[in-house]
Amino acid sequence: MRIDLHTHSRVSDGTDTPGKLVEKASQAGLDVISLTDHDTFDGIPEAVAAGGRVGVAVLPGIEISCRLEGRDVHLLGYGCDVSHQELGEELGSLRAGRTRRLPEMCARLQGLRIGITVEDVMAQARTTPSIGRPHVTDALVAKGVVKDRQEAFDRYLAEGGPAHVPRHAIELGRGIDLVHEAGGAAVIAHPWGRRSREVLTVAVLEQLTREHGLDGIETGHREHDSTTRRSLDELGARLGLIRTGSSDHHGWKRPDRDLGCFTTAESAYQELLDRIRSRGGTA
Ligand code: AMP
Ligand code: MN
Ligand code: MN
Ligand code: MN
């Protein structure tokens, strides 16, 4: 069984519709995927329906924008009740924070003599409820300022870059609690990737497991080299955490993340489903 539990559609910053994404997962030989758009469940119904048509099991998911000691940390929530009120309200405020920071990012770029407007970005973001930096990068590509998303991040939009503006995020411990309250399982995405490694120390991961019942960590990810993957697998095993591996697929504008380039073991997937069912979530 081939299982990929971290993917994005154009409902957030991927490039495919949820339906198309699931079709591509089927063509890539995957049996299970989770759609984990940033801060929104809007793509889930279409993905689940497509999964029924093409024979791919779709686990409802989300990637929640969290923060720990001032750093962005991404939390994957699996099997949450998508109509849970408190979680829904938090996600709404995360999306509002995304929209609020956009004019400031455009102003910074204008300050660098790059004529990008909010309208230019919205022309790229189209109907997404979850506007992000990748949509700004797409506007920069469309204007011919950079050749691709990566160059735009490297020159302007990566954390600490001249046009980067922080946005609202929720405290990581609170995010884990919310996922549990909504019946789901909480897995930290790319914990030792470029953005969160310094704050997610072994001691902090131990504490999150003990005090918040963190369910798992994503060990297999493009941002983890083989040494990092091995260290995280050993740490996860010691702490009794579920270890997942996933592509973090974003579609064709991010070519290093093909569907299924990292996958999750069937035993880990079953353990996630058991925890979701025991909490009354959707699996
Ligand atoms: P945002 O949530 O709007 O702050 O944007 C974060 C998204 O941008 C992530 O989900 C990635 O898809 C992408 N991203 C963030 N940092 C980088 C980077 N340094 N290089 C390429 N993509 C990045
Ligand atoms: Mn993304
Ligand atoms: Mn992420
Ligand atoms: Mn992601």
Side-chain angles (χ1 to χ4, degrees):
M1 219 158 127
R2 295 191 71 226
I3 302 163
D4 184 344
L5 297 180
H6 183 169
T7 69
H8 298 273
S9 77
R10 75 178 193 206
V11 171
S12 65
D13 56 8
T15 57
D16 291 307
T17 64
K20 192 74 194 165
L21 174 75
V22 174
E23 277 173 33
K24 287 186 176 172
S26 168
Q27 287 155 10
L30 290 164
D31 303 287
V32 181
I33 72 159
S34 182
L35 175 64
T36 52
D37 274 317
H38 298 283
D39 303 327
T40 174
F41 289 120
D42 284 6
I44 300 295
E46 183 183 323
V48 170
R53 275 198 308 278
V54 301
V56 171
V58 176
L59 177 64
I62 190 156
E63 186 172 14
I64 304 175
S65 300
C66 293
R67 190 148 293 153
L68 186 67
E69 289 169 38
R71 286 295 178 90
D72 283 343
V73 177
H74 291 178
L75 182 67
L76 296 161
Y78 295 115
C80 294
D81 168 10
V82 301
S83 60
H84 188 271
Q85 189 180 344
E86 209 175 329
L87 177 57
E89 284 167 8
E90 287 287 1
L91 295 176
S93 70
L94 289 172
R95 294 191 301 267
R98 289 174 165 281
T99 305
R100 249 193 335 265
R101 78 166 164 171
L102 182 55
E104 174 67 19
M105 283 198 289
C106 291
R108 299 241 183 136
L109 288 164
Q110 287 157 14
L112 299 167
R113 301 179 181 285
I114 297 165
I116 289 283
T117 64
V118 169
E119 289 69 34
D120 293 331
V121 177
M122 293 314 295
Q124 300 297 324
R126 288 184 287 188
T127 55
T128 173
S130 187
I131 297 158
R133 282 179 279 163
H135 304 112
V136 181
T137 69
D138 291 350
L140 291 169
V141 173
K143 288 248 168 190
V145 177
V146 291
K147 68 174 188 310
D148 57 19
R149 276 187 176 183
Q150 194 56 55
E151 186 187 351
F153 272 102
D154 293 345
R155 285 175 60 183
Y156 304 112
L157 285 155
E159 263 173 283
H164 175 245
V165 176
R167 55 161 164 65
H168 171 55
I170 60 182
E171 276 304 312
L172 179 60
R174 165 93 181 114
I176 296 169
D177 294 347
L178 262 178
V179 166
H180 290 157
E181 285 163 29
V187 174
I188 297 181
H190 43 73
W192 287 357
R194 64 179 159 250
R195 292 179 290 279
S196 48
R197 182 166 196 152
E198 284 165 36
V199 294
L200 287 172
T201 60
V202 171
V204 165
L205 288 168
E206 274 175 342
Q207 187 195 355
L208 291 166
T209 307
R210 203 173 53 240
E211 294 178 8
H212 293 273
L214 174 68
D215 296 287
I217 49 177
E218 186 177 58
T219 62
H221 188 277
R222 192 56 89 195
E223 287 180 27
H224 297 155
D225 62 21
S226 60
T227 310
T228 302
R229 293 199 295 274
R230 201 168 329 111
S231 304
L232 277 172
D233 273 324
E234 283 167 13
L235 174 64
R238 182 163 71 75
L239 298 180
L241 291 167
I242 299 170
R243 280 94 69 202
T244 67
S246 300
S247 65
D248 200 1
H249 182 71
H250 277 71
W252 66 268
K253 288 176 184 169
R254 219 163 174 192
D256 63 330
R257 291 164 179 220
D258 285 342
L259 283 164
C261 65
F262 290 96
T263 54
T264 296
E266 196 171 339
S267 56
Y269 173 58
Q270 287 302 337
E271 176 70 27
L272 276 177
L273 294 183
D274 288 345
R275 295 202 189 190
I276 294 164
R277 287 184 185 127
S278 75
R279 295 190 186 116
T282 313

